[in-house]
Amino acid sequence: MRPRAELVEGVVLEKRLGSLPVIADFCRRIDIAGIIDELCPIRDVALATHGQVIEVLIANRLTNPSAMAGICDWARAWAVPEVYGIAASSLGDDRLGRALDAVAEHTDTIVGTVGAAAIDRFGIDVTRLHWDMTSISLYGCYDRNDPDYPQPGWGHPKDRRPDLKQIQAGIAVSADGAVPVFHQVYDGGASEITQVVDAMHALQNLADTPGFLMVGDSKLISYGNLTAMTDAGVRFLAPLAAARVPAGLFAGIDPATTVAVDYIAARDSNKPADRRCAYRVTEDVMHLAGPRKSDPVHQVRRILVHSTANQNAAQAARELKLGKARTDLDTLTRTAGTRYHPDTAAIATKAAQISRKRRVGAYLRTTITTDPDTGKPSFTWHFDQDTIDAEAATDGWYALLTNLEPADADAAEILRRYKGQTAVEQRYATIKGPLAVAPMFLQTNRRITALITVIALALLIFSLIEREVRQRLAEQNRHDMTGFYAFDNRAVRPTARLILQALNDLRLIPAQHRQPPKIPHPGWLQAQLLALLNVDPTRPRWL
């Protein structure tokens, strides 16, 4: 339900303040409005600058995400005029659209400048950056697009909405705090593998660190990408696509050559030791040849990883599909020669359907015969156990490729660094969850580009708030806090979502009868969070 300011006889008695002071403070620490206003100036008589409007849009995404037409009502119910100095009536969808149009022309510069400011202001370590891309579905046809901006198109949507066009976005998050310091918007039909080199150059300029480590998914690995990263002196780490793993590689690994890795996944932290995923690693080298005989051959380290969790999942999935296939195949055996499957052609067609649907073609062996006396067909089948055993020998294994030197990181350390890739996936989950990027509809692809930039900036602030609280707690030799759950006083590690939810109930009593605005005393948890964030919502600069 949309929050409403409390009214008595037409007088506003109370507004929701929530986390607005914190969001505004973090935006001002990296000067988002100032950076935008320098690039997108506006007339002095304007009621609000483009930078101010964008900061308000960031605040909306982090408090109560709304459609453009609903921003004005949200601003009236929340203390937006008091915190940002902008009248709610100045935030109509037309004004918001003009701000997006202005920002769209300078997104690359804004992204780079804001990212650099965040790195400098908060001391973020960017020697390791995790890169990934995702798709965002769009409502509308988008038949007439501005050629200067990314083009909506058909692709392979991550949300499995093939009926909708999409746009793609890539983000890079730091290993230090999972802060998204860079993002880029791409055409809906763009190939992920071809975007790596441009992203690498942008991250190299942003990190300004010789030999920074770029971690990605399997799309990072191609001969062209490896050549570009090697020439640029960039270190890389990514998994080898399963389709490119040489046959028999995993089955031929001698367990005695593997080494246990001292790593506990976050999902296993509260589990008994015997129920945690265990990892073992070994390594060899892999040679990648170019498309031409004259191309130099790249030799890279190949880290072979075994995960008991992956092994158990693969075994369970195989047993499940085999069980379902057995049921279907036994039914076909009984119905062969009946009106359901009267001849060999019908039986063969049905067997092929089962094989394809249950994905058991690799080990399914079938025989269809015809009785010479009656002409009645029959069907028998079995699974090739040798093939199943050969596949089972590879369960739980995957490979990582890197050009890191052994002196810089052994095989176990490489696995630990790769495990940080989950951070970028979690940030994408935030974009599509709390920041409410559902299938979107805007008038132009120009505004789509700008809105995704606004959302990425909101994600940056979201992540910086989380990192700041955790760092201040670490300085006090603490990691967890209590009070986030009403009926559960357990200590948990604070996340940005929990922090913003805890601050959500802060209220503001607007100025009345020559009395200054007041903020009722924050609760214990709210006061603790505000102190950790070094934000005082009662200071005059906010009100």
Side-chain angles (χ1 to χ4, degrees):
M1 181 180 296
R2 181 179 296 148
R4 298 182 180 277
E6 293 189 14
L7 298 170
V8 175
E9 297 181 356
V11 178
V12 178
L13 296 182
E14 190 177 78
K15 288 185 174 182
R16 176 168 289 182
L17 182 65
S19 55
L20 291 181
V22 172
I23 297 165
D25 183 76
F26 274 70
C27 285
R28 291 170 188 174
R29 291 186 197 183
I30 53 180
D31 196 24
I32 291 178
I35 290 169
I36 293 173
D37 289 340
E38 185 174 349
L39 294 168
C40 312
I42 200 168
R43 294 179 301 168
D44 293 339
V45 296
L47 298 177
T49 69
H50 292 316
Q52 288 177 300
V53 172
I54 296 302
E55 284 198 353
V56 169
L57 286 176
I58 291 171
N60 174 259
R61 286 285 158 177
L62 293 174
T63 56
N64 188 40
S66 308
M68 293 295 177
I71 299 291
C72 190
D73 289 340
W74 163 78
R76 288 193 182 97
W78 288 65
V80 171
E82 290 80 4
V83 173
Y84 289 92
I86 303 175
S89 58
S90 301
L91 295 170
D93 55 351
D94 182 63
R95 177 65 186 89
L96 301 176
R98 292 199 306 273
L100 292 177
D101 286 337
V103 165
E105 297 183 17
H106 305 281
T107 51
D108 289 346
T109 304
I110 291 170
V111 170
T113 307
V114 170
I119 292 169
D120 179 65
R121 175 63 180 80
F122 290 91
I124 301 171
D125 181 359
V126 289
T127 55
R128 171 159 50 107
L129 294 171
H130 293 264
W131 168 259
D132 198 7
M133 289 177 60
T134 193
S135 62
I136 299 170
S137 295
L138 307 168
Y139 287 120
C141 294
Y142 295 101
D143 293 328
R144 298 179 181 178
N145 295 303
D146 189 329
D148 293 332
Y149 298 92
Q151 306 292 300
W154 306 106
H156 301 282
K158 301 295 186 352
D159 60 0
R160 299 181 181 179
R161 289 296 306 268
D163 57 315
L164 299 177
K165 286 186 176 181
Q166 66 177 24
I167 205 82
Q168 296 190 83
I171 62 171
V173 305
S174 62
D176 175 10
V179 179
V181 293
F182 175 82
H183 81 273
Q184 184 67 53
V185 185
Y186 300 100
D187 292 346
S191 169
E192 290 189 35
I193 202 167
T194 60
Q195 313 306 321
V196 170
V197 174
D198 286 343
M200 180 267 293
H201 287 304
L203 297 179
Q204 190 177 33
N205 292 333
L206 184 66
D208 195 24
T209 302
F212 88 95
L213 176 61
M214 183 175 181
V215 186
D217 62 12
S218 60
K219 305 299 191 304
L220 204 69
I221 303 299
S222 73
Y223 182 84
N225 290 345
L226 263 61
T227 300
M229 288 186 283
T230 300
D231 292 344
V234 171
R235 299 179 297 174
F236 65 85
L237 171 56
L240 179 64
R244 300 180 65 182
V245 175
L249 173 65
F250 296 140
I253 296 175
D254 180 359
T257 65
T258 63
V259 177
V261 181
D262 182 17
Y263 173 79
I264 300 175
R267 65 177 181 273
D268 292 339
S269 57
N270 294 322
K271 294 181 181 179
D274 59 343
R275 295 184 58 192
R276 293 173 180 168
C277 175
Y279 296 91
R280 300 190 69 84
V281 295
T282 185
E283 71 171 286
D284 59 12
V285 297
M286 183 172 182
H287 298 90
L288 287 88
R292 297 181 296 271
K293 290 184 178 180
S294 58
D295 291 332
V297 176
H298 293 300
Q299 177 176 300
V300 296
R301 294 172 68 191
R302 182 168 60 190
I303 312 303
L304 308 174
V305 183
H306 184 266
S307 159
T308 56
N310 288 6
Q311 179 183 23
N312 294 338
Q315 291 174 347
R318 183 168 51 251
E319 286 303 318
L320 179 62
K321 70 180 182 180
L322 288 175
K324 291 181 177 180
R326 286 189 185 97
T327 300
D328 294 343
L329 292 166
D330 287 343
T331 300
L332 179 58
T333 300
R334 293 193 303 271
T335 58
T338 69
R339 63 188 179 89
Y340 297 103
H341 306 102
D343 52 37
T344 57
I347 295 170
T349 298
K350 182 61 177 179
Q353 290 176 349
I354 295 171
S355 175
R356 184 171 54 254
K357 179 181 179 181
R358 300 305 182 189
R359 296 174 290 111
V360 294
Y363 19 78
L364 176 60
R365 307 292 181 261
T366 62
T367 303
I368 303 175
T369 59
T370 302
D371 188 304
D373 296 329
T374 64
K376 180 179 179 180
S378 62
F379 172 76
T380 59
W381 66 273
H382 72 278
F383 289 136
D384 186 332
Q385 191 60 45
D386 290 340
T387 304
I388 294 175
D389 292 343
E391 182 181 276
T394 69
D395 287 348
W397 286 99
Y398 58 92
L400 303 173
L401 297 186
T402 185
N403 60 352
L404 283 165
E405 295 293 336
D408 296 329
D410 61 15
E413 176 59 23
I414 287 172
L415 174 63
R416 284 189 285 265
R417 294 187 187 185
Y418 173 69
K419 283 299 181 179
Q421 185 68 6
T422 57
V424 68
E425 297 164 0
Q426 291 167 353
R427 292 311 185 203
Y428 274 132
T430 299
I431 285 179
K432 298 185 177 185
L435 302 191
V437 179
M440 64 172 64
F441 178 80
L442 290 171
Q443 292 180 348
T444 66
N445 60 321
R446 176 191 181 108
R447 291 186 178 180
I448 290 172
T449 302
L451 181 58
I452 292 176
T453 293
V454 169
I455 294 165
L457 293 177
L459 183 65
L460 171 64
I461 299 301
F462 182 90
S463 306
L464 287 173
I465 290 171
E466 177 180 278
R467 177 179 180 272
E468 188 77 358
V469 169
R470 291 182 176 183
Q471 283 200 333
R472 300 292 82 79
L473 285 174
E475 292 172 358
Q476 303 172 16
N477 294 319
R478 299 165 57 197
H479 298 284
D480 301 331
M481 295 181 69
T482 60
F484 286 108
Y485 300 104
F487 302 103
D488 186 348
N489 203 37
R490 61 193 168 102
V492 297
R493 194 178 189 198
T495 63
R497 187 184 303 191
L498 288 175
I499 294 166
L500 296 179
Q501 286 177 347
L503 297 172
N504 196 49
D505 289 334
L506 283 176
R507 302 287 172 169
L508 172 73
I509 301 173
Q512 296 176 14
H513 308 298
R514 298 183 180 180
Q515 295 294 322
K518 298 180 181 179
I519 299 175
H521 186 68
W524 174 85
L525 178 59
Q526 294 169 336
Q528 290 288 309
L529 291 171
L530 292 170
L532 291 169
L533 293 166
N534 194 28
V535 174
D536 182 356
T538 66
R539 290 194 297 194
R541 62 174 175 154
W542 299 120
L543 305 172

